[in-house]
Amino acid sequence: MSFVNNYKPPNPESEVDISINNDEPYSINCNVHVPAVLETDRVELVPFIPSLHAEAVFSIISTHPEIERFLPISWPTLDSFLAFMERFVRQREDTALFIVVDKTKPPSSEADNTVKNGKIAGLTGWLHASPQNLSVEIGPVIVFPEFQRTFVSANAIGLLLRHFLDLPAQGGLGFRRLVWCASPLNAASVAAAEKMQFVKEGVTRWLWILPEGKEGGKPVDGKRGSGEGRDTVVLSLCWDDWEAHARDAVTKRMERV
């Protein structure tokens, strides 16, 4: 019996149709429930909508290039940022992205008309969501410099943990496994995960091909494409630890001043 492979590779990023970012309503296109808001008294997460948030977020990222330091991707222009959000977030049904808002601060000028209840403090979300296996990866976790070493990170991460690991009767999705991935050079990310009760499982080798100039790469022999490779530290937080002790520990961390 004969067969064919009708797969067609996607267009280069420069050809991605970013006009869809202006659609109203904007389709999140995710295979698990995306809430309109997740919030504590001090922090809220609201879905990332490019027409509302992209320009303000990119302005902050471009002003602080250290934010991209350990990410295995790069956004040199606003259009490249929008193209990434279309191809690798909205078009991926297992992925969702949220704006992190610090509700204790008034909106800044660059965030006027983009968030209602505070100041944009970062980006977070999930990828590789599997309703079949009840597993998901938390990421990215980007906290802008002004809000680092505050309550923002713990609250933002904790809200996602509750969303996935709490049972439906508690308002969650009842997932079994959450994953956190980080560059081996990003000790701060690994430490943040461990403070939120993630447990290190090991290192996945050669997981990423890095854009030129990114830190943490390993050279290849020149026969397997261009771009250095990067390993990834893998941590996890699973339902049994969540119910046994992690939920209480995460709650205490979120409540810290």
Side-chain angles (χ1 to χ4, degrees):
M1 181 179 291
S2 63
F3 69 91
V4 296
N5 182 351
N6 291 324
Y7 171 75
K8 294 181 180 180
N11 292 328
E13 280 195 20
S14 60
E15 299 180 18
V16 172
D17 180 9
I18 61 176
S19 64
I20 198 169
N21 291 295
N22 296 316
D23 282 0
E24 177 60 41
Y26 178 72
S27 174
I28 299 296
N29 187 42
C30 191
N31 62 2
V32 297
H33 174 56
V34 178
V37 64
L38 293 169
E39 63 182 329
T40 64
D41 290 342
R42 298 183 288 179
V43 170
E44 73 176 19
L45 307 183
V46 294
F48 174 85
I49 300 176
S51 61
L52 292 178
H53 307 127
E55 190 170 351
V57 169
F58 180 75
S59 175
I60 297 170
I61 291 174
S62 61
T63 304
H64 298 279
E66 69 274 14
I67 291 173
E68 283 190 7
R69 181 183 177 191
F70 294 115
L71 295 178
I73 52 179
S74 182
W75 303 307
T77 65
L78 176 59
D79 279 356
S80 69
F81 182 68
L82 289 169
F84 178 90
M85 294 303 165
E86 171 58 19
R87 171 172 288 167
F88 296 105
V89 178
R90 199 199 66 81
Q91 290 185 17
R92 303 282 285 269
E93 73 278 0
D94 59 1
T95 300
L97 193 64
F98 291 79
I99 293 291
V100 181
V101 179
D102 182 346
K103 296 165 62 176
T104 70
K105 295 189 176 183
S108 58
S109 57
E110 74 269 14
D112 286 345
N113 302 316
T114 64
V115 296
K116 297 179 180 179
N117 299 322
K119 190 173 183 180
I120 293 178
L123 284 175
T124 193
W126 64 75
L127 58 158
H128 305 145
S130 172
Q132 178 181 359
N133 292 312
L134 298 177
S135 66
V136 68
E137 179 181 336
I138 299 300
V141 180
I142 299 173
V143 178
F144 297 148
E146 177 183 347
F147 304 91
Q148 293 173 4
R149 298 179 179 84
T150 71
F151 56 82
V152 168
S153 176
N155 278 253
I157 298 164
L159 284 167
L160 292 179
L161 302 190
R162 289 177 177 175
H163 178 61
F164 280 104
L165 289 171
D166 277 354
L167 294 171
Q170 300 169 303
L173 298 180
F175 270 41
R176 298 182 180 184
R177 171 179 169 83
L178 271 62
V179 175
W180 181 297
C181 294
S183 165
L185 297 181
N186 195 350
S189 179
V190 174
E194 291 176 333
K195 288 174 183 176
M196 299 302 288
Q197 304 302 301
F198 283 79
V199 176
K200 184 177 178 181
E201 294 186 338
V203 175
T204 301
R205 300 183 299 161
W206 296 101
L207 185 63
W208 289 92
I209 294 177
L210 296 179
E212 185 177 352
K214 284 288 183 178
E215 294 184 56
K218 303 188 297 184
V220 292
D221 60 6
K223 302 175 183 178
R224 300 175 186 272
S226 60
E228 294 189 339
R230 199 204 80 179
D231 297 342
T232 293
V233 180
V234 179
L235 305 96
S236 69
L237 174 57
C238 299
W239 73 272
D240 42 358
D241 285 339
W242 181 251
E243 294 190 357
H245 62 84
R247 192 184 198 282
D248 289 342
V250 166
T251 297
K252 290 179 181 178
R253 187 103 193 145
M254 294 170 71
E255 292 173 348
R256 292 180 60 189
V257 176

